[in-house]
Amino acid sequence: MALTNQPRLDAADPPAPLELSEPHAPQARGALVARLCEIVSWPESRLPAYERQLAADILVGLLRTSNIELRRRCAQGLARVTDAPKGLLRYLARDEINVALPLLEAGAGFDDSDLVATVRAGVSAHWIAIARRRHLSETVTDALIQTGDTPTIEAVLRNQGTRLSTQGVDLVVARSRQAASLPSLLVSRTEIRPTQALVLFWWASFEARLQILRRFAVDRNVLIQELGDVFKLAAAEGWSDADTRKTLQVIERRQRNRAAAAQSPYGSLEGALAAAERGVDRALVHEIAHLAGIKPTTASQIFADPGGEAIGVFCKAVGLKRPLMLAFWRALRRPAGDPDATNNPLGRAVYVFDTLATAKAQTVLRYWNWSFTADAANLERVSFDDDALELPLARRNAALLFNRNV
């Protein structure tokens, strides 16, 4: 049988190219990354520590030039590993958010130092993911709050598994001046102290202010009863110790200054308020403050309150009747409104006046008067970023209230 003529194959000729119906995708890299991710997840009983670290270092080198899908799968595989190599975890945690998200939200291998380092190296999306972790210590929440990023701080405050330090709360209070969403989230936190809440009051919304008053406006019956003999001792000494006198003024039952009334040309607080209807100047504000038993600075802060609720607290604390409270509102040239509706400053002030007990209003007024004693002009250098900073309480509150650069 004759053979048909066919071209002779030369051994030196290259093989004909394969015709592929799909682009060829390399599989070795994917298999290598997957296998190394599995290996670094093994317990130390199965793999020596130095060998696992070597595998992790090789894996980081591969991931630097791998596509996002491989990096994402690796991050997902390591999320539940409690003792994954730190360098690998930190590298993946700083990747773009689609890769880092499972680790940042639930990675079991992170400690506080890892999370703080990631906060300092990350951006807002990474901060928010960390803020959603089930449990966060004060160290991590301080780092998140110090970013100054409002959505991140909101996420921290909404997370009931977080713990806030006193410094952290101070930072949120200061930040909340420019972020209207923060006060309502902060006032429900268990970590906030009465003094911090009563500073926050000054720029909080009506609803947040009501929550502050309901939670922190308390009576002083136990303190008055238990310190009754101390009042007598201080009086016998002629109130010579200034700190003792200031402290007992916060606690004592009487609000008005009887000695000031005896010397006042107006005869009483009501007399001074009646004179206010003819016009209010600095001297009359000072006189009203002395008759009410508070400092002029405190009175000026209250009377200038845009929301008006602070005026309701003041009028209730000093024992005014409702008609005189309304007359004083007009004397301050505050805007008119329906006193029986809470959609205007007057109505909100009247609502506080009507619903707050006198003793509780006095506690709030005493707190304000006692706390804001520092000279506002000397507060420009105060910062709450220093972990070691321990300011006296009055100076901390004055810094929060008066220094808008805190």
Side-chain angles (χ1 to χ4, degrees):
M1 183 173 62
L3 297 175
T4 58
N5 292 330
Q6 292 182 351
R8 180 181 295 180
L9 294 177
D10 190 332
D13 292 340
L18 297 174
E19 293 184 4
L20 299 177
S21 58
E22 295 180 359
H24 178 61
Q27 297 180 3
R29 176 185 286 263
L32 182 57
V33 169
R35 187 61 56 84
L36 286 172
C37 282
E38 180 183 346
I39 290 171
V40 298
S41 302
W42 288 350
E44 290 185 4
S45 59
R46 188 175 177 184
L47 182 72
Y50 70 87
E51 216 171 329
R52 176 159 54 170
Q53 188 58 57
L54 175 61
D57 292 341
I58 295 171
L59 182 54
V60 169
L62 276 172
L63 290 173
R64 292 183 190 278
T65 55
S66 295
N67 61 44
I68 187 171
E69 180 59 24
L70 280 178
R71 303 199 308 272
R72 187 184 64 80
R73 292 209 310 254
C74 185
Q76 286 180 327
L78 293 173
R80 297 182 181 180
V81 180
T82 57
D83 57 350
K86 295 292 188 180
L88 177 59
L89 286 179
R90 288 194 180 194
Y91 170 75
L92 289 169
R94 299 176 189 185
D95 205 330
E96 58 183 279
I97 193 62
N98 289 337
V99 174
L101 187 63
L103 284 174
L104 296 177
E105 287 189 338
F110 290 106
D111 57 26
D112 283 358
S113 64
D114 298 322
L115 294 171
V116 170
T118 304
V119 169
R120 290 173 178 168
V123 293
S124 181
H126 294 71
W127 302 333
I128 293 172
I130 293 172
R132 290 198 292 257
R133 290 177 69 89
R134 181 171 295 180
H135 301 292
L136 287 177
S137 70
E138 292 94 335
T139 301
V140 181
T141 57
D142 277 353
L144 290 168
I145 291 168
Q146 285 167 2
T147 66
D149 183 61
T150 298
T152 299
I153 298 173
E154 290 175 358
V156 169
L157 297 178
R158 289 193 177 99
N159 185 349
Q160 295 304 308
T162 61
R163 299 196 304 270
L164 306 180
S165 68
T166 297
Q167 172 191 320
V169 175
D170 280 340
L171 289 171
V172 178
V173 171
R175 175 62 183 159
S176 68
R177 274 184 176 277
Q178 292 80 36
S181 60
L182 295 181
S184 59
L185 294 172
L186 183 57
V187 294
S188 60
R189 298 288 308 200
T190 58
E191 299 94 339
I192 190 170
R193 298 179 179 181
T195 49
Q196 292 167 323
L198 292 171
V199 171
L200 184 69
F201 176 95
W202 294 106
W203 52 83
S205 66
F206 174 58
E207 292 76 15
R209 285 182 164 194
L210 290 183
Q211 191 172 353
I212 290 169
L213 293 175
R214 288 166 183 158
R215 183 175 171 189
F216 297 107
V218 297
D219 56 39
R220 308 174 307 286
N221 290 337
V222 174
L223 290 174
I224 291 172
Q225 180 178 348
E226 293 299 319
L227 296 176
D229 56 334
V230 179
F231 279 98
K232 295 177 182 178
L233 287 173
E237 296 172 354
W239 305 98
S240 57
D241 186 327
D243 288 339
T244 299
R245 183 179 70 254
K246 291 176 183 178
T247 301
L248 292 178
Q249 284 174 344
V250 179
I251 301 168
E252 70 171 333
R253 193 180 303 277
R254 293 193 306 268
Q255 176 62 53
R256 300 193 190 191
N257 186 337
R258 293 182 178 179
Q263 300 175 0
S264 174
Y266 304 102
S268 67
L269 177 60
E270 284 78 5
L273 294 178
E277 296 186 37
R278 298 189 294 272
V280 180
D281 57 16
R282 180 185 293 270
L284 186 53
V285 168
H286 284 210
E287 187 68 20
I288 292 172
H290 289 308
L291 291 167
I294 60 176
K295 299 179 180 68
T297 302
T298 309
S300 297
Q301 179 74 21
I302 291 171
F303 300 159
D305 176 39
E309 295 91 342
I311 296 174
V313 172
F314 168 82
C315 292
K316 193 59 174 276
V318 298
L320 298 184
K321 300 299 183 182
R322 198 173 193 261
L324 191 52
M325 182 257 180
L326 296 174
F328 184 49
W329 180 273
R330 292 190 297 270
L332 291 173
R333 305 296 189 266
R334 301 304 298 268
D338 183 356
D340 297 317
T342 57
N343 60 357
N344 64 91
L346 174 58
R348 291 192 285 269
V350 170
Y351 180 85
V352 169
F353 179 87
D354 289 342
T355 59
L356 193 62
T358 300
K360 294 182 177 182
Q362 288 176 352
T363 299
V364 174
L365 186 58
R366 304 284 176 82
Y367 253 122
W368 287 338
N369 194 56
W370 172 61
S371 296
F372 307 142
T373 58
D375 180 4
N378 295 325
L379 295 171
E380 292 300 322
R381 293 185 299 274
V382 172
S383 170
F384 296 108
D385 291 331
D386 184 356
D387 291 338
L389 183 62
E390 287 295 337
L391 291 175
L393 184 59
R395 187 168 173 79
R396 291 174 72 89
N397 291 340
L400 287 169
L401 180 62
F402 296 120
N403 183 7
R404 288 164 173 77
N405 295 321
V406 168

